[in-house]
Structure formats: C-alpha cells, structure tokens
Amino acid sequence: MSTNDILQTRRAPAALRAEIGGAVHCPGDPGYDAARSGFNLAIDQRPAAVAVPRHPKEVAAVMRFARREGLRVAPQRTGHNMGPLGYLGDSILLRTDAMDRVEIDATTRRARVGAGARWEDVLPAASELGLAGLHGSTPDVSIAGYSLGGGMGWYARKHGLAANRVTALEVVTPDGEIRCATPERDVELFWALRGGGGNFGVVTALEFELVPIESVYAGILFFPVERAGEVLHAWHEWTATAPEDVTSIGRILQFPPLPEVPEPMRGKSFALVEAVFLCGEEEATRLLEPLRGLGPAMDTFATQPPAGIAELHMDPRDPVPSDSAHAMLGELDATAIEALVAAAGAGSGSTLISVEIRHAGGALSRADDGAGALATLPGSYVFFAVGIADPALAEKTDADLDRVASALRPYEVGRYLNFVEERVDTAGFFPPAAAARLEAARETYDPDRLMHANHEIGAR
Ligand SMILES: Cc1cc2nc3c(=O)[nH]c(=O)nc-3n(C[C@H](O)[C@H](O)[C@H](O)COP(=O)(O)OP(=O)(O)OC[C@H]3O[C@@H](n4cnc5c(N)ncnc54)[C@H](O)[C@@H]3O)c2cc1C
C-alpha cells in the first residue's frame, strides 16, 4: 500500500483532523483540488493530504503525525515556486495561508507577520508610515517564502537581500519543537533559514526591518519592440554608472492577447526600461535623461509613495501555466545584448511573455555582518525569462527559453534559487563553505529528511 493509499483509508484523515484541529483535505474530499492548487497551472501537485494549520501548535501536530505515518511535510503558501517539488504523494502539503497576522511597529521600524502574509498585506500600511519592506516584483508572494530564499527586490542595489533584514523567525522544527531563532538563540537555525529555505522546519512567523522611504521616483519607459537593440544597449551602458540608489530592469515584454490586458497593450510587444530611484525626483530626472532622450512611446515615471510600485513590473496576479529560464550573469558586453535581442527580440519568432535582465551588484555584492546563508548574489545582472506552458505552447516555449538561455550562457556565473523553477542540485549555488555549513545544519535539524522543500539541501 503506498502512503497516498494510507491516507485514503478512512482512519488516517480522521486522525489527522482530530490531531491538528485546522482544515485537512485528503484525496477524494470535495475541497482537495482547490486546496492543492498553486500559482503554476502547468503543475498538478497531488500531495498525500493538505493541512491548513492556524498556529504553531497545529503545525507541530502535523509534524508529529507525518513522522508517525512515514510521510514528509512540504510547507507552501502561494505555490510561486512549486515547480521543483516533484512527487508529493508521500508528503503532507502544509499550507500557511491561515497564519496571516500582520503587525507593524513604526517606532522600531519592524514588522512581525505570520507565515501566510504576502507583501501586499504589509506594503500599503508600511507606506502610510513612510516605510517599505524589501519586496520584489510581485506583491502576492509570501514574505516568508520570498525571504527564506533570499529576496531580491526593487531596493536591492541599495539595501541588499530581504533575508538579511530578518530579525527573528518563529519555527516549528522537525522534532516538533516551537523555537524562536534570532541572532542570540538557535543561532545556526537563524543563519541557515535566511537563504537556505524550507529545509529546516516550518516558519510560522517572522520579524523583519522596514526601511524608511517616504517616496520613490519610479516608472517604465516603453519603446516599440523593434527598438529593443538600441534600448537595451543604451540601458546596459547606463547601468555602468548608475548609483546604488537605482535598481532597474531592461526587458522585452510581449503582452498576451487576453481581455485582462488593457487595450493599448493587449497583444503588443515592447522593449522596456523599468526603474526605481531612491534619490529624489530632481536627481533621478537628471540620471534618467540619457534613456528618456531616446524618445519612448510612453513614459510612466512619477514620484509616488513606496506602495505605488507594488505592481510596477506587471507580474500576473492570477495563476498561469508557465515555464522559465534563469541565470546570474557576470559583466555583460555589447555582444551579450546583441545575442539576447537576436534570441528574443522582433523577428526572432520568440513567443516568450517576458525576457528581462535585472541590474544587480551594489549592496547585493557585499556581505553584511551577521548575514544569513545567502549573504550575497554573484555577478552583476540577473536573467529571467518566462513563457506560457499550456499544452498548445509548451514545446515552443521550451525551445524559445533554451535559445535565449543559450545566448547568455557564456556570461553565467551561478543561479539564485528563488528564480529557479526546476529541481537542481543546490550545493553549487552557495559558496563552498556556506554549502557545507547548510548541509551540517540540515543534519542537525532534520536528520530524517522530514522536510520536503522546493530546493533541497543535503538531498539523499
Ligand atoms: C511572478 C513571480 C515574480 C517573482 N518575483 C521575485 C522577485 O522580484 N524577487 C525574488 O527574490 N523572487 C521573486 N520570485 C520568486 C519568489 O520569491 C519565490 O517563488 C518564493 O519561493 C515565493 O514564496 P511563496 O511562499 O509565495 O511560494 P511557495 O511556492 O508557496 O513556497 C516556496 C518554497 O518556500 C518555502 N516556504 C514557503 N513558506 C515557508 C514557511 N512558512 N516555512 C518554511 N518554508 C517555507 C518552501 O520550501 C516552499 O516550497 C518571483 C516569482 C514569481 C512566480
């Protein structure tokens, strides 16, 4: 009898329900399909059961139950990185959705949030107080999942990774203990979780620093996609002198012909420069002039409160079937930009929705004292491309992703696991000393490999 079958017997779901108190959905239950669905519709995850605990004690009960029944525990909130999980028939999918409390302390400039809280649950209230979290391009990922994987966002060149702004983590470890990991307590756990992800336990709440930001100057310059070569060359040259106050993205974007996309954009393709400036409008306008001088078709730059940029990158809000490619890149030259445009620009035949290069470096390259397992990101740029992976387009998307990834391969210097949406050997993506220390932490906290994380450390 497989473990999946065990949970389909009447006894196990009843026992799990009785033990944890929160909602439990097992195969065959009416709520199972909705409870197991995630952000990537190309992936059909079928866990042995889905548990939705409401507080740490219920999480501990799920851990105990899983251990007793020979199952594993896979924490998940939104499923934005569900791709690498693979087979879940031997795992309880532990949804953190119900633990979504948010508290902001303006005096200490700290937020304390439940593991189910997403960036959009914090950003508006923080913004009203002249504060911002180090969020990324989409406001609907969980702060926990994003930060445990590193967290590279719109303020990254100035303020670094979100993981290194985390000040405390409430965690249920695989032994069923509820711990509070801080720089003073459970120090190794605190270090490992900040970049090492969900390999060491289920985080039930976290506390992190907010940064004081009253307003940003931010927006997008839209150019016809036929100008991608000229625009991306100019953007790349511009990044060489852009100060750390600016985090920017050069991008080729093909809006799908869907009714949700506003009419002027629907089905159209553009070359874009997106940027967020922290230096005030006057200086930002001066800095932006070489790119603005190219004469964009549309210019959305404006001074706005930090909450205004939550959806600047126009990431999809609803689940989509997608596939992606990613690499961290070192210094780029003009040949790299030409290769990218040849692979994904006008006339390339690419149907990819988005092909982007984010400017990294700055604070992302410097390790803070007391940083976690992911102290820095390698390289100077981040490549990410995404396409639709429904049955009609999956093969073409695969080929298009391969072409653009191959074009940039000579510049690849590593990967950043938050952007990796397939199963990989994680050891290669941390510096050797950090990789060894992470494996040792996994042995300490999860010697039986109870945790089923998206990117597994110390896989057997
Ligand atoms: C459209 C899109 C835009 C993105 N933009 C950015 C960006 O700008 N910057 C960036 O850095 N990343 C970005 N990401 C990547 C994103 O940060 C990761 O996918 C992250 O893992 C999402 O966290 P989640 O909890 O919402 O996702 P989930 O898929 O629910 O969780 C991912 C993994 O995180 C771990 N995890 C989650 N919650 C817990 C918990 N409470 N305890 C223990 N482990 C946990 C688990 O191992 C889980 O498998 C983006 C992804 C997408 C799809």
Side-chain angles (χ1 to χ4, degrees), residues 35 87 279 324 360 420 423:
Y87 178 68
C279 52
S324 63
V420 174
R423 204 153 186 81

Side-chain angles (χ1 to χ4, degrees), residues 63-120:
M63 298 288 226
R64 280 194 301 272
F65 179 90
R67 182 178 290 285
R68 210 178 55 229
E69 299 287 335
L71 295 165
R72 304 180 77 200
V73 175
Q76 189 173 78
R77 170 57 174 102
T78 66
H80 271 72
N81 200 292
M82 61 200 281
L85 285 171
Y87 178 68
L88 278 167
D90 60 355
S91 299
I92 299 177
L93 188 67
L94 188 153
R95 305 295 304 232
T96 58
D97 306 28
M99 298 182 282
D100 60 353
R101 196 188 62 237
V102 169
E103 287 162 35
I104 297 176
D105 184 334
T107 318
T108 59
R109 293 188 190 141
R110 289 200 176 170
R112 182 181 163 86
V113 304
R118 294 162 301 169
W119 278 115
E120 66 192 348

Side-chain angles (χ1 to χ4, degrees), residues 425-449:
D425 176 0
T426 55
F429 305 127
F430 293 94
R437 193 171 161 190
L438 279 167
E439 290 203 14
R442 183 85 194 272
E443 278 307 316
T444 304
Y445 288 101
D446 190 17
D448 305 322
R449 304 301 189 258

Side-chain angles (χ1 to χ4, degrees), residues 1 38 47 68 70 78 116 134 207 227 242 275 296 318 327 342 422 425 433 438 458:
M1 200 187 240
R68 210 178 55 229
T78 66
L134 302 188
E207 182 190 80
R227 296 185 65 191
D318 293 328
E422 66 203 326
D425 176 0
L438 279 167

